[in-house]
Amino acid sequence: MDKNTQRILESAKAVGQRFVFNVASRFASMQTGEKYGAGMGSSLEFLDHREYQPGDDIRHIDWNALARSDKLTVKLFREEISPHLDILIDGSASMNLDDTAKYAALMSGVAVMRAAALNSGYNVSAWVIKDRCEKIPETNFDVERWRGTDCVYAGNTGKTLVTMPPPLKPRGVRILFSDLFWETEPETILRQLINNAALVIIIQVVAKIDEEPDLLGNLRLVDSESGETLEVMADKPIIKEYIKNFNRHRNYWRDSCTKSGAFFTHLVAEDFIKDFVPQELLKTEILVAGGK
Amino acid sequence: MFFLNYKALWATLTLIGFLGVYFFKRRSKDVKVSSLMFFSALKTPAEGGQKLTTLQTPLILFLELLIVTLLILSAAAPVMLDNNSKIPLAVILDDSYSMTATAKEDSKNARHRGLEYLKNNILNKQYYRINLIKGGSYPELIGRHDMTGAEAGVYLDNWRCTSKSADLVSAVRFVKEAFDKHIQVLVITDTPAETDSDTQMAKLNWLAFGKPVNNLAITGANRYSLGKTDRCFFEYTNFSDTPVNLHAIVKSPESNKVYDEIKTQIQPMSVRRSIINFPEQNSEICAEIFADDFLADNKLCLPSIKREKVKVRIKTNSKYLDSLLKKTVEALGTGVLVEKDENILITDTQEIIPANTWQMVIHKATDSVMLSGTVAVEREHPLCLGLPPVRALWAVDKNFVSDGLPVLSSDDFALLAVSGEVEKNKVVVFNMDYEYSSLHTTGFWPVLFWNYLNWYQDVFSPVNRELPISREESSFLKLKSNDLPENILPESTMKNFISVRWWFVVTALILIALHQWLVTIRRPGIVY
């Protein structure tokens, strides 16, 4: 990892520390954990009082307070969660495409999520998907100190996920960082990830050239993973058709995620590394402001 | 099929550029992409790329080259023409010496330039039926009628430009009279046409290829006898726009004796004459000028003026006529009577005679009549020069028929007819019944016989040599070129052609459509 990328990751980490995960209150399966969440829950640790509102559990009505003030007041307790985040990083060579910010954006995204997760009291595990899913042992350290995250694998990581999935922690949050440039069926992969998970987030990291290739003329396209080449006379109709295919592929993934209950978002590398803010995750309040 | 606009074919050079561009275009740039999965749904266009070396690309390339070639050919105005609608063309070639006058700074003369023009603009066109006319002192057809360009090209070698002068107007008239009225006329000469009704016709193209050239020439010469002395006269003219130094020598080539040497300067368009007297002699005298580029008029030789007498044998069946003819020949002084090895036989019965012998036949009628009425005389003929009017009795055969040229005639019959070839067996038939005629008592008789013997002498031992080039022909300052048209045909002639441009355009359009289809077809896309 070069120094420039390291500096980028430090910045990403700083941004990530401003966020927390707002996951546990939305997913029942996470509310029986060993840590207290940032929201309210059903643990035994008292947090606050507030006026009764219809629908509140009547078991939490503070009868002593009713006697004192003649008002229906309920006790609020801190939520108890089992927060764990599994980060899966696509280790294929396409994630480290030359002359793009794709790798920096990938690792920045990881850094942001890790920082937000730690803010929220999560345990974090990370896996690099190559010919098998390799666990990164240094997840207690900052992302720039992680080893084995160099994306050089020249194979189908989607297939690896299906055939040799990592032992992910039950009821945890799982985030997959990948460009998803696989021909493997999304549902097959999602089925593996959704299984026994509190939440699955698919973050598609692409370079600008992946999304809107600015290519014209006679080109020999070289696949960054397989080395396979393709001669094309790139012109507007061809690029238009490429974009159409690309968007069809992305929408197919988005639809598959929606069907499977996973959350899908995408990052354009060159845009993301400007501010490191995952806008869609904020909009959906999976991430919220409230960190250090 | 042929093309009217051959220049457009130069555009085929663009094909080289086209191939060059293609060669450079095919050198593709490597671009690394995340994945080819979205590109693999696209068809690889055949142009460019390293696959040019495979079989796929050449088809498109071939189509493109073919399309460009077809469009170029259509721009070259392709036309069809069958043999019947070929355009008749008469090419009049100026055969005078001036066509060979070459300027010092130029390696080509008017003849070269004219030939070049003919080869580039006429002989290579398939739509002409070419007739070549050599325009010398009189017009002369070269080769056969209605030749192709290739055939005419062979006959052009006979165009040597060695005529003393060129009467091109006569040649134009000859073409107008002897050929089809629709014939196109092309005159290849060295001087622009003078305003003349014969040179202003619509179908005439007068192309001049001359350039002014300085020339020093012998423009006049004569030799005559002063008794025991011979006198020669030579005239030198400077046809230049600057003064030139004349160096001329007059000498006898036989004895190499120099009679005169002139070293002087002659002003522009001025003349220098010299007269030399020397003792009578048999050898020829030659004048030669030096340091002049045009050689044809730089040397002239005058033969001896002493002539051998013509040997005449007289053989008739009449003693009277025999005696009369002998007295005549003896009186003339230019002939001598012989019994054999004669030059001229005068007889009253035509005989078979050896080569180079002439014969005069005195034709006697069985039932003669006296000549009355006018006598038509061919004044230019050597036999008729200076003939006085007939003032005597002339008994003739009215039924006399001759296959020769009548130089003296009356009504419908010939009085004096000439046949045969000049330098072989010239036969003169004299229609006269000597028994009833008194022609010998007038001046007509000796003049006729003097002319006859003199004619023979002129043919076989001429006294004065004519100038090889006329005085007018030696002046090259008037030579000029005019604007040369690329197409000598008037617009109306184009009606003969059937344009087939659309063949090429339609084929090109079909190929363009095929090309577009080949370029734009896609492989079946991967639906994801």
Side-chain angles (χ1 to χ4, degrees):
Chain A
M1 196 175 291
D2 59 39
K3 285 185 177 175
N4 187 38
T5 311
Q6 285 178 11
R7 274 198 299 275
I8 289 172
L9 294 185
E10 281 168 17
S11 306
K13 181 187 160 191
V15 173
Q17 282 171 344
R18 301 206 307 261
F19 305 118
V20 289
F21 267 96
N22 180 26
V23 176
S25 57
R26 297 165 49 162
F27 300 98
S29 61
M30 291 187 74
Q31 290 178 346
T32 53
E34 54 204 27
K35 297 252 170 114
Y36 297 109
M40 287 168 287
S42 56
S43 69
L44 295 175
E45 189 171 333
F46 173 75
L47 183 66
D48 202 359
H49 284 98
R50 70 163 166 77
E51 265 190 42
Y52 173 80
Q53 290 174 351
D56 284 346
D57 192 341
I58 56 169
R59 288 177 299 176
H60 292 163
I61 293 174
D62 190 344
W63 301 107
N64 294 330
L66 175 65
R68 283 196 303 273
S69 62
D70 203 21
K71 282 183 180 173
L72 272 176
T73 308
V74 292
K75 284 181 180 175
L76 298 178
F77 300 91
R78 290 188 69 173
E79 68 176 342
E80 189 180 277
I81 56 174
S82 177
H84 184 83
L85 173 65
D86 280 306
I87 299 175
L88 293 101
I89 301 169
D90 183 352
S92 65
S94 67
M95 297 305 295
N96 192 3
L97 186 65
D98 295 347
D99 304 325
T100 67
K102 209 166 168 182
Y103 181 68
L106 166 70
M107 297 312 291
S108 301
V110 171
V112 168
M113 290 305 170
R114 178 181 172 274
L118 291 178
N119 267 351
S120 312
Y122 280 46
N123 290 325
V124 176
S125 299
W127 308 83
V128 178
I129 312 164
K130 294 183 178 173
D131 54 342
R132 59 192 176 84
C133 295
E134 295 170 0
K135 187 166 186 182
I136 298 171
E138 303 91 353
T139 46
N140 289 333
F141 300 118
D142 289 338
V143 174
E144 56 265 33
R145 294 176 65 185
W146 292 4
R147 284 178 296 174
T149 57
D150 49 335
C151 299
V152 290
Y153 177 59
N156 186 344
T157 47
K159 198 173 171 187
T160 306
L161 261 182
V162 174
T163 53
M164 286 188 281
L168 303 173
K169 193 160 185 178
R171 295 187 300 280
V173 176
R174 294 159 190 179
I175 303 179
L176 171 64
F177 285 92
S178 172
D179 53 14
L180 308 176
F181 290 167
W182 308 312
E183 290 179 9
T184 316
E185 272 291 322
E187 282 180 17
T188 320
I189 295 167
L190 288 169
R191 206 177 297 131
Q192 290 284 355
L193 295 177
I194 289 288
N195 183 29
N196 207 14
L199 174 65
V200 173
I201 301 171
I202 307 294
I203 300 179
Q204 187 188 30
V205 182
V206 294
K208 211 154 206 162
I209 194 175
D210 292 332
E211 201 173 50
E212 289 176 1
D214 183 21
L215 302 173
L216 278 177
N218 184 29
L219 304 172
R220 194 165 74 117
L221 303 175
V222 184
D223 190 301
S224 58
E225 292 172 8
S226 64
E228 188 190 344
T229 60
L230 181 67
E231 308 286 342
V232 291
M233 175 56 70
D235 53 10
K236 282 186 180 173
I238 283 181
I239 297 304
K240 197 175 163 188
E241 189 151 345
Y242 168 91
I243 292 171
K244 192 171 141 194
N245 287 334
F246 177 87
N247 287 332
R248 186 186 294 133
H249 180 75
R250 175 182 278 173
N251 291 334
Y252 190 49
W253 264 93
R254 193 187 296 278
D255 293 347
S256 299
C257 287
T258 306
K259 278 184 199 168
S260 309
F263 179 78
F264 179 89
T265 186
H266 72 272
L267 303 176
V268 177
E270 286 77 5
D271 295 337
F272 180 68
I273 60 169
K274 288 176 189 167
D275 56 7
F276 308 109
V277 177
Q279 297 290 352
E280 273 198 76
L281 292 175
L282 287 172
K283 277 182 199 166
T284 53
E285 295 185 348
I286 289 174
L287 278 186
V288 291
K292 292 174 185 175
Chain B
M1 188 180 65
F2 54 90
F3 301 98
L4 288 180
N5 179 20
Y6 278 94
K7 280 190 175 175
L9 297 179
W10 281 103
T12 48
L13 290 177
T14 58
L15 293 178
I16 299 167
F18 201 84
L19 285 169
V21 169
Y22 206 91
F23 173 75
F24 286 110
K25 207 171 94 175
R26 72 169 186 156
R27 298 170 67 182
S28 56
K29 191 173 83 176
D30 281 8
V31 176
K32 208 168 188 178
V33 294
S34 296
S35 173
L36 292 178
M37 61 184 289
F38 306 118
F39 284 106
S40 62
L42 306 176
K43 177 212 170 266
T44 305
E47 302 120 313
Q50 292 176 344
K51 286 187 180 175
L52 183 74
T53 52
T54 68
L55 288 175
Q56 186 185 12
T57 308
L59 176 63
I60 299 283
L61 174 63
F62 173 74
L63 272 179
E64 288 170 351
L65 294 179
L66 195 60
I67 289 165
V68 173
T69 306
L70 285 169
L71 292 176
I72 290 169
L73 291 177
S74 75
V79 288
M80 293 278 285
L81 192 71
D82 58 35
N83 273 339
N84 295 331
S85 49
K86 279 192 174 179
I87 299 161
L89 174 71
V91 182
I92 297 173
L93 305 163
D94 184 340
D95 196 48
S96 63
Y97 272 108
S98 60
M99 288 292 287
T100 59
T102 311
K104 266 186 183 174
E105 68 280 2
D106 201 349
S107 60
K108 290 180 179 174
N109 53 37
R111 179 178 174 274
H112 292 137
R113 286 187 285 271
L115 273 176
E116 211 166 81
Y117 178 87
L118 286 175
K119 282 174 184 167
N120 294 336
N121 297 282
I122 304 296
L123 302 186
N124 58 356
K125 305 283 195 298
Q126 300 165 32
Y127 46 81
Y128 288 122
R129 288 187 278 130
I130 301 171
N131 301 280
L132 295 178
I133 290 101
K134 193 157 77 174
S137 305
Y138 52 90
E140 184 186 342
L141 186 72
I142 310 177
R144 61 173 186 83
H145 283 269
D146 297 338
M147 293 182 285
T148 62
E151 289 170 329
V154 174
Y155 284 107
L156 276 175
D157 291 340
N158 294 336
W159 179 33
R160 301 276 177 204
C161 301
T162 51
S163 294
K164 189 177 168 184
S165 61
D167 188 352
L168 297 179
V169 175
S170 293
V172 172
R173 277 197 212 109
F174 167 72
V175 169
K176 283 166 76 176
E177 288 162 10
F179 289 88
D180 183 271
K181 64 177 179 180
H182 298 298
I183 197 164
Q184 299 289 323
V185 183
L186 182 63
V187 179
I188 304 293
T189 181
D190 51 17
T191 318
E194 290 168 12
T195 309
D196 185 297
S197 58
D198 287 308
T199 62
Q200 298 302 308
M201 52 190 281
K203 290 174 180 168
L204 174 73
N205 279 278
W206 189 286
L207 306 185
F209 297 88
K211 283 184 181 174
V213 179
N214 290 336
N215 186 32
L216 185 60
I218 299 174
T219 53
N222 202 357
R223 178 175 176 174
Y224 50 97
S225 174
L226 298 173
K228 296 287 181 189
T229 306
D230 281 2
R231 172 172 285 180
C232 279
F233 160 81
F234 292 101
E235 180 187 83
Y236 312 93
T237 307
N238 174 18
F239 295 105
S240 310
D241 46 12
T242 53
V244 295
N245 292 319
L246 167 69
H247 179 206
I249 291 177
V250 180
K251 67 178 183 181
S252 161
E254 202 171 282
S255 63
N256 232 7
K257 184 182 177 184
V258 175
Y259 291 102
D260 191 17
E261 181 167 8
I262 305 166
K263 284 184 177 176
T264 185
Q265 191 179 65
I266 310 183
Q267 293 305 307
M269 301 308 292
S270 296
V271 174
R272 170 78 158 79
R273 297 183 181 91
S274 74
I275 296 171
I276 309 126
N277 295 320
F278 51 90
E280 180 187 39
Q281 59 175 271
N282 292 332
S283 64
E284 63 178 5
I285 300 294
C286 294
E288 187 173 7
I289 53 178
F290 303 94
D292 181 62
D293 294 329
F294 187 68
L295 304 176
D297 54 10
N298 283 356
K299 187 174 181 181
L300 182 70
C301 292
L302 296 173
S304 166
I305 55 173
K306 275 187 78 177
R307 293 174 137 185
E308 287 187 12
K309 289 186 175 178
V310 181
K311 291 183 271 187
V312 182
R313 182 162 72 96
I314 294 165
K315 183 190 172 192
T316 67
N317 294 320
S318 163
K319 284 186 179 176
Y320 167 70
L321 181 60
D322 230 51
S323 161
L324 180 63
L325 290 171
K326 281 177 180 170
K327 283 178 188 171
T328 305
V329 172
E330 283 168 351
L332 289 173
T334 53
V336 58
L337 292 166
V338 294
E339 290 302 318
K340 59 179 182 177
D341 300 332
E342 71 278 5
N343 300 128
I344 291 176
L345 171 68
I346 303 178
T347 179
D348 53 0
T349 310
Q350 189 165 347
E351 289 185 12
I352 296 169
I353 49 173
N356 301 328
T357 305
W358 290 14
Q359 183 175 194
M360 177 184 272
V361 182
I362 312 291
H363 175 76
K364 186 185 176 189
T366 50
D367 184 18
S368 58
V369 295
M370 207 54 70
L371 176 67
S372 62
T374 55
V375 175
V377 182
E378 187 73 49
R379 289 279 171 206
E380 298 296 316
H381 196 272
L383 277 178
C384 304
L385 297 174
L387 270 184
V390 180
R391 299 185 194 283
L393 296 174
W394 190 344
V396 297
D397 179 0
K398 283 195 80 169
N399 301 317
F400 171 64
V401 178
S402 169
D403 54 357
L405 172 74
V407 294
L408 280 178
S409 56
S410 178
D411 295 336
D412 294 331
F413 56 93
L415 300 171
L416 193 65
V418 179
S419 60
E421 292 179 47
V422 170
E423 291 184 354
K424 289 183 182 172
N425 299 108
K426 181 61 73 182
V427 178
V428 175
V429 183
F430 191 13
N431 181 4
M432 182 196 70
D433 186 342
Y434 53 86
E435 288 182 359
Y436 300 104
S437 300
S438 61
L439 275 178
H440 61 282
T441 61
T442 67
F444 181 90
W445 186 265
V447 172
L448 174 66
F449 282 89
W450 195 90
N451 279 351
Y452 187 42
L453 268 58
N454 200 45
W455 184 20
Y456 183 91
Q457 282 182 325
D458 281 347
V459 170
F460 291 99
S461 55
V463 176
N464 285 320
R465 178 79 46 87
E466 282 190 353
L467 290 169
I469 307 176
S470 68
R471 183 186 169 83
E472 292 72 29
E473 276 296 314
S474 287
S475 174
F476 305 144
L477 285 176
K478 63 184 180 193
L479 304 189
K480 254 188 190 175
S481 295
N482 57 11
D483 294 333
L484 302 176
E486 277 177 31
N487 186 10
I488 61 165
L489 298 176
E491 283 296 316
S492 58
T493 320
M494 298 300 165
K495 285 189 298 190
N496 293 13
F497 303 135
I498 305 158
S499 174
V500 289
R501 180 174 282 170
W502 64 272
W503 291 3
F504 296 88
V505 174
V506 169
T507 313
L509 286 174
I510 292 168
L511 292 179
I512 286 170
L514 177 63
H515 176 268
Q516 281 303 104
W517 179 75
L518 283 174
V519 168
T520 53
I521 51 169
R522 298 274 190 271
R523 286 181 194 144
I526 296 172
V527 179
Y528 227 108

